[in-house]
Amino acid sequence: MKIGWDTSHLEFTIADYYYFGKLNDLLLNSGFLVDEVKDFDTLNRYDTIVFNYPEKPFNDSEVNKIDSWVRQGKVVIFAGYYKNEDGVGENINGITKHFGLTLNLSEALDQSSEDPYFVNVVSRTGLRGVFPCTDTVSGGEAILTSKVGNVGCQIKLGMGKLVLLGSCVFWDSFSLHLADNATIATKLLAGEEI
């Protein structure tokens, strides 16, 4: 499985040891090939394409390419953050609205959690995760739900799918090993149903 981790839109890098080193190690030890990709136009070489906290807006040409990649069988994952920090939610919605998915540009707080910013989530297959600092997500098919709303949705197009996640830090080095987060992360990146 080849993963293209985009950096052309100023995303968090997976090679950043402090923030995503544990995810990078987990993926490499699980047999994934992970590349940071600076050239957007080369992302079509990968099975799964990740946009994790894109701080730069997408243009119409990029929207069309992402649509084409999904229809050809790629898994494309967008991961946001709460409260539209750095305009990331708006940047993501600039793409995902074309597919019927949106970040709600909100701050999800789970009062049943030990820390309300750590939202307890459940996948359709029963995996339990923790999504820190998450936004809620609307549209498509819910894949991760919580007491405060959906935090992960997907839409299938052609042979592929586009996934929208409310949190870009559920798989960071601090949160990766909370509950089933590591399993959720590897299954999402492998294009498996969760």
Side-chain angles (χ1 to χ4, degrees):
M1 175 68 55
K2 293 176 14 179
I3 299 170
W5 191 279
D6 187 64
T7 59
S8 71
H9 291 82
L10 307 177
E11 291 91 347
F12 289 132
T13 64
I14 193 165
D16 182 308
Y17 175 77
Y18 182 79
Y19 289 108
F20 294 99
K22 289 182 181 179
L23 175 62
N24 195 39
D25 289 346
L26 171 68
L27 296 175
L28 294 176
N29 291 332
S30 299
F32 290 86
L33 170 69
V34 183
D35 290 330
E36 285 189 355
V37 182
K38 293 179 182 177
D39 180 358
F40 180 89
D41 292 327
T42 63
L43 288 167
N44 65 335
R45 300 176 186 164
Y46 297 90
D47 305 305
T48 300
I49 302 163
V50 178
F51 299 96
N52 198 60
Y53 200 87
E55 293 186 63
K56 179 180 164 189
F58 295 82
N59 62 44
D60 290 342
S61 172
E62 292 169 332
V63 172
N64 292 334
K65 287 178 183 176
I66 289 170
D67 182 90
S68 175
W69 296 338
V70 171
R71 292 179 191 279
Q72 292 169 14
K74 310 287 183 195
V75 174
V76 176
I77 300 172
F78 285 88
Y81 201 63
Y82 70 168
K83 300 190 300 186
N84 193 31
E85 291 283 329
D86 297 322
V88 166
E90 291 173 351
N91 293 340
I92 289 173
N93 284 344
I95 288 273
T96 60
K97 69 181 180 186
H98 298 282
F99 301 94
L101 300 175
T102 56
L103 288 169
N104 294 321
L105 309 181
S106 65
E107 176 181 50
L109 297 173
D110 183 351
Q111 299 302 332
S112 69
S113 177
E114 187 174 311
D115 180 333
Y117 285 98
F118 282 64
V119 175
N120 294 308
V121 304
V122 179
S123 77
R124 293 182 306 175
T125 63
L127 294 170
R128 299 201 173 274
V130 178
F131 269 46
C133 303
T134 191
D135 196 347
T136 55
V137 179
S138 299
E141 174 184 7
I143 58 172
L144 291 162
T145 59
S146 76
K147 289 184 177 182
V148 296
N150 297 330
V151 297
C153 292
Q154 71 180 15
I155 185 144
K156 295 180 181 178
L157 294 169
M159 298 175 61
K161 64 182 166 182
L162 188 135
V163 176
L164 178 57
L165 304 173
S167 177
C168 65
V169 293
F170 86 96
W171 51 17
D172 72 3
S173 292
F174 177 80
S175 302
L176 182 65
H177 295 294
L178 297 176
D180 295 325
N181 282 11
T183 302
I184 292 169
T186 55
K187 286 184 172 291
L188 284 169
L189 292 165
E192 297 174 12
E193 295 298 320
I194 60 165

